[in-house]
Amino acid sequence: MFRLNENYLKLPGSYLFSTIGKKVGAYSAAHPDKKIIRLGIGDVTQPLAPAIISALHKAVEEMGHGETFRGYAPDQGYDFLRNAIADNDYKARGCDISADEIFVSDGAKCDSGNIQEIFSVDNRIAVCDPVYPVYVDSNVMAGRTGSYDRARETWSNVIYMPCVAGNGFVPELPKETPDIIYLCFPNNPTGAAATREQLQEWVDYACKVGAVIIYDAAYEAYISDENVPHSIYECEGARTCAIELRSFSKNAGFTGVRLGFTVVPEELKCGDVQLHSLWARRHGTKYNGAPYIVQRAGEAVYSPEGKEQLKAQVAYYMKNAHYIYNGLKAAGFTVSGGVNAPYIWLKTPGNMTSWEFFDYLLEKVNVVGTPGSGFGPSGEGYFRLTAFGSYENTVEAVDRIRTLL
Ligand SMILES: *Cc1c(COP(=O)(O)O)cnc(C)c1O
């Protein structure tokens, strides 16, 4: 008789977004006249830029003619896209990354969940707390995390690195030595960014202890500070210790279109085995490539018109971020993030728990955000607001929240 992968049964239910949905549903059923504004969404709302739409149309048309029809894409992605990525995201920033080191995929969530497959189940992972849940849950499924402590909401075989006000929401080097380190900057959910010096310290540490860093740079396009690196490969030595994940979701609105990529440098080795060859094998065996149409849309992200239009799109969201940050700060709230990321991390007032503040905001001013405790124990007492709404709704929500203090 078949048996289950029992690791799946260890996963605690992820009640965060379903609980939010239920609470908001119950409130709006009881108060149908109230206009609820949602600043909890982690999804973009602006339509695809014209340069991308026109590339999509053109590629669709090509698929309808025998001479230009394309079937399976190359495993690692089309050269036109991988070259555009290597030139624009890496060479233009002085990073020595070649097209051959880029693996095109259907997004960073899948890649961040799948990448752990090429590592032994004995490896010990280190994650930020609070954290994007995929890194931990995918390792739970693989059987790498030990047992779950319900009271503390932590796994016995995971090294948690608290990201709190005291360290500016950038973790300190862990006391125990991890094998795999997950880092995401600019960060979801805190909106914090690591400086070049801070990230260099992590690269030096990983090289010293023989750990690999899995660096999620999904929010790279939101960076405004000069001293915040866009890629981990801006740090010396990163080619021997780091894998980088990127996505077209947040910089170009591809959350529903689906496109991302992973960079695995040739020098990244375990003994004399290249991780590049293992990931290539995994990709070739289990993945048949991102759609041609979508890869052409991705190419348009790097065209002069595409770049211009997407700069404006990111600026639109960041104008929201600044309005939230400045408005709440002026009103007396303690806020961080919002400078290099579309997330504002708000300290709940009056020592309310994250969920108490959620209920309070919903009932008093009809604004929805995300309780920080949903991202990990160190998120307790915090609240995430996102800049992905419309400007009008953002202004109205902030003006309502300001009346509370
Ligand atoms: C949104 C997001 C991603 C992107 O995921 P896709 O699968 O590419 O849409 C990756 N990492 C983090 C932390 C995110 O918030």
Side-chain angles (χ1 to χ4, degrees), residues 118-123 179-180 206-207 209-212 239-243 264-279:
I118 63 171
F119 298 102
S120 162
V121 75
D122 300 334
N123 284 299
D179 303 301
I180 302 171
C207 290
V209 303
V212 61
R239 284 182 56 83
T240 63
C241 72
I243 290 171
V264 188
E266 299 274 357
E267 280 105 298
L268 183 44
K269 291 181 185 166
C270 183
D272 53 11
V273 180
Q274 288 183 316
L275 296 193
H276 185 281
S277 69
L278 259 61
W279 190 240

Side-chain angles (χ1 to χ4, degrees), residues 19 28-29 32 36 39 50 55 72 75 94 102-103 160 163 184 188 192 217 221 236 243 260 298 329 346 348 402:
T19 307
S28 66
I36 295 173
L39 296 188
Y72 289 125
D75 288 344
I102 294 163
F103 295 76
Y160 291 90
C163 296
C184 170
N188 175 14
E236 215 170 301
I243 290 171
K329 194 173 179 185
L346 171 70
T348 61
R402 289 159 67 120

Side-chain angles (χ1 to χ4, degrees), residues 81-369:
L81 178 58
R82 295 164 79 209
N83 287 327
I85 292 169
D87 289 346
N88 290 277
D89 285 328
Y90 295 104
K91 296 206 172 95
R93 294 200 179 276
C95 302
D96 172 26
I97 293 294
S98 69
D100 186 52
E101 296 172 314
I102 294 163
F103 295 76
V104 173
S105 74
D106 58 357
K109 185 178 190 176
C110 309
D111 285 349
S112 65
N114 291 331
I115 194 75
Q116 48 76 29
E117 275 187 34
I118 63 171
F119 298 102
S120 162
V121 75
D122 300 334
N123 284 299
R124 189 118 189 260
I125 67 163
V127 295
C128 291
D129 167 27
V131 70
Y132 182 61
V134 182
Y135 315 146
V136 177
D137 289 358
S138 56
N139 278 288
V140 174
M141 293 167 174
R144 206 173 274 119
T145 55
S147 56
Y148 188 64
D149 180 334
R150 259 171 218 288
R152 296 168 68 189
E153 299 178 32
T154 52
W155 295 89
S156 61
N157 199 35
V158 173
I159 299 169
Y160 291 90
M161 307 184 292
C163 296
V164 292
N167 54 26
F169 304 100
V170 175
E172 286 136 45
L173 300 177
K175 291 189 186 70
E176 300 167 88
T177 307
D179 303 301
I180 302 171
I181 302 163
Y182 287 86
L183 294 176
C184 170
F185 291 110
N187 189 260
N188 175 14
T190 67
T195 63
R196 197 165 280 110
E197 294 70 35
Q198 286 173 318
L199 195 58
Q200 184 66 57
E201 204 184 327
W202 277 100
V203 169
D204 293 344
Y205 171 76
C207 290
K208 194 179 89 188
V209 303
V212 61
I213 296 174
I214 297 172
Y215 191 70
D216 185 340
Y219 294 95
E220 165 279 325
Y222 292 84
I223 292 170
S224 61
D225 283 345
E226 278 291 317
N227 67 342
V228 171
H230 288 250
S231 164
I232 197 164
Y233 304 114
E234 290 179 42
C235 297
E236 215 170 301
R239 284 182 56 83
T240 63
C241 72
I243 290 171
E244 182 163 285
L245 314 175
R246 292 272 190 111
S247 167
F248 288 75
S249 287
K250 312 299 170 22
N251 64 331
F254 278 39
T255 54
V257 177
R258 310 304 310 143
L259 192 65
F261 61 90
T262 290
V263 180
V264 188
E266 299 274 357
E267 280 105 298
L268 183 44
K269 291 181 185 166
C270 183
D272 53 11
V273 180
Q274 288 183 316
L275 296 193
H276 185 281
S277 69
L278 259 61
W279 190 240
R281 186 58 199 261
R282 193 266 169 207
H283 224 58
T285 302
K286 294 199 185 182
Y287 188 61
N288 250 339
Y292 171 70
I293 295 163
V294 172
Q295 294 195 49
R296 280 294 183 199
E299 182 187 28
V301 166
Y302 300 101
S303 69
E305 312 79 59
K307 281 183 185 169
E308 203 57 39
Q309 292 161 9
L310 293 173
K311 222 168 107 183
Q313 207 170 75
V314 165
Y316 178 91
Y317 294 130
M318 286 313 284
K319 187 175 162 199
N320 293 347
H322 298 149
Y323 194 89
I324 301 170
Y325 181 94
N326 293 327
L328 296 185
K329 194 173 179 185
F333 285 93
T334 302
V335 287
S336 60
V339 176
N340 297 296
Y343 297 116
I344 284 82
W345 195 236
L346 171 70
K347 175 104 193 68
T348 61
N351 288 321
M352 275 189 239
T353 66
S354 298
W355 278 109
E356 282 166 357
F357 187 64
F358 176 90
D359 292 333
Y360 180 76
L361 265 197
L362 177 61
E363 282 157 28
K364 295 275 186 210
V365 294
N366 311 142
V367 173
V368 178

